[in-house]
Amino acid sequence: MHGHRTHSPASQSRSPSVYRATHDPDGPARLSTTVVHALADCMGTDVTDGYISLYDAIDPVALNALFRPRHDGRQRSGGTLGFTVRDHYVTVSSDGEILIEPPAQR
């Protein structure tokens, strides 16, 4: 996972400060694991302290299945999913991009 904050021109639909991370579908981590690590990094918490859980927002197994490659091996494209964890709005895209908008930024 690679993550960082970016600042872009403010608009009505986008926050001026969004945390961005990338999931590597060919890497060892599952998408749900990458999302939890990105949230922990964005919130400045330790991922092992149990503060962040996806279960109240989304089924992690379903998230992992949603964007995994098709049965013939082709990558899925064009899909996004949004959900909220601890007041942080998370958007996951089929290309592996993870965007996290902190509550004060929305």
Side-chain angles (χ1 to χ4, degrees), residues 22-42:
T22 304
H23 173 71
D24 178 3
D26 297 322
R30 294 177 187 228
L31 177 56
S32 59
T33 302
T34 303
V35 170
V36 169
H37 280 264
L39 279 161
D41 194 35
C42 179

Side-chain angles (χ1 to χ4, degrees), residues 9 31 33-34 42-43 47 51 54 59-61 65 79-80 82 84 91-93 99-100 103:
L31 177 56
T33 302
T34 303
C42 179
M43 293 179 194
V47 72
Y51 180 72
L54 298 182
D59 179 346
V61 175
T80 61
T84 302
T91 304
V92 180
S93 299
L99 304 176
I100 302 171

